[in-house]
Amino acid sequence: MTSVQQPDRAAARRLSSYYFLRAAVSAGWVAAALTVGKTMPPAAAVLLVAYPAWDAVANLLDARRSGGLTANPPQALNAAASTVVALAVALALGWSLNAVLAVFGVWAVLSGLLQLATGIRRWSAGAQWAMVLSGAQSALAGGFFVKLAAGAAIPGIADIAPYAAFGAFYFLISAVWLRVALFRKTSAERLA
């Protein structure tokens, strides 16, 4: 094995572990949102603030393990935006659920575009097509949230849960894709 391959493998393992973590937390959030969050407004409020707060922490963790915030401007911006959004959601909860959904919509557009940029920057790491697709879908979902927030219907946490579920799905796909690629590479080298 060459010295070039080892860092690539370590980066792929780290990235797949990170994606598995993101998928698990998002899936847990969706389960909580569709159970406790639907029936207990205080729990829904905590979950709505926790989702962007977790995204901020996750982006900071990923950036730190990928060379730091300076080397990863999209993640640094995403972490900052997610922190602001967590605070904005907390404030919007005092107005209405429509305001909360509007905040989520604007955030989904911005974070989707930043995820798209990160996926493109990491293209050579593999499995980034799912992250690029997820970023694009997030931006589109954000536009839908903003439109829905402007309507007369009162939204709820269940309106945001599918967005988080798709995020979990894309993170899981990327994690599995990276692990399979690593397994294939290792198997091919053993046979060579």
Side-chain angles (χ1 to χ4, degrees):
M1 186 174 346
T2 68
S3 61
V4 174
Q5 291 173 326
Q6 188 59 32
D8 289 345
R9 286 172 199 252
R13 279 190 201 97
R14 182 205 54 79
L15 201 53
S16 68
S17 294
Y18 170 73
Y19 288 159
F20 275 125
L21 176 64
R22 291 292 305 254
V25 171
S26 291
W29 188 91
V30 170
L34 293 177
T35 55
V36 208
K38 280 179 70 173
T39 58
M40 298 174 60
V46 168
L47 287 166
L48 289 167
V49 172
Y51 192 74
W54 158 247
D55 190 71
V57 170
N59 274 287
L60 289 173
L61 289 172
D62 186 29
R64 180 182 291 170
R65 293 179 180 154
S66 302
L69 292 172
T70 307
N72 297 288
Q75 289 163 294
L77 185 55
N78 208 345
S82 295
T83 300
V84 169
V85 166
L87 296 170
V89 167
L91 291 173
L93 283 165
W95 286 309
S96 70
L97 290 175
N98 291 70
V100 170
L101 190 61
V103 170
F104 261 90
V106 171
W107 175 54
V109 170
L110 178 61
S111 66
L113 294 174
L114 292 169
Q115 184 178 8
L116 182 65
T118 300
I120 291 169
R121 288 181 73 229
R122 287 183 171 164
W123 194 262
S124 63
Q128 295 306 299
W129 61 269
M131 291 295 94
V132 167
L133 186 58
S134 174
Q137 187 170 349
S138 178
L140 291 173
F144 175 73
F145 285 166
V146 170
K147 181 180 177 185
L148 187 63
I154 298 173
I157 195 166
D159 293 310
I160 296 170
Y163 169 74
F166 273 107
F169 172 74
Y170 285 123
F171 279 119
L172 182 62
I173 290 295
S174 291
V176 169
W177 195 279
L178 282 168
R179 290 292 169 117
V180 167
L182 281 169
F183 176 77
R184 286 182 178 166
K185 187 180 249 184
T186 303
S187 296
E189 287 173 356
R190 287 182 184 158
L191 293 174

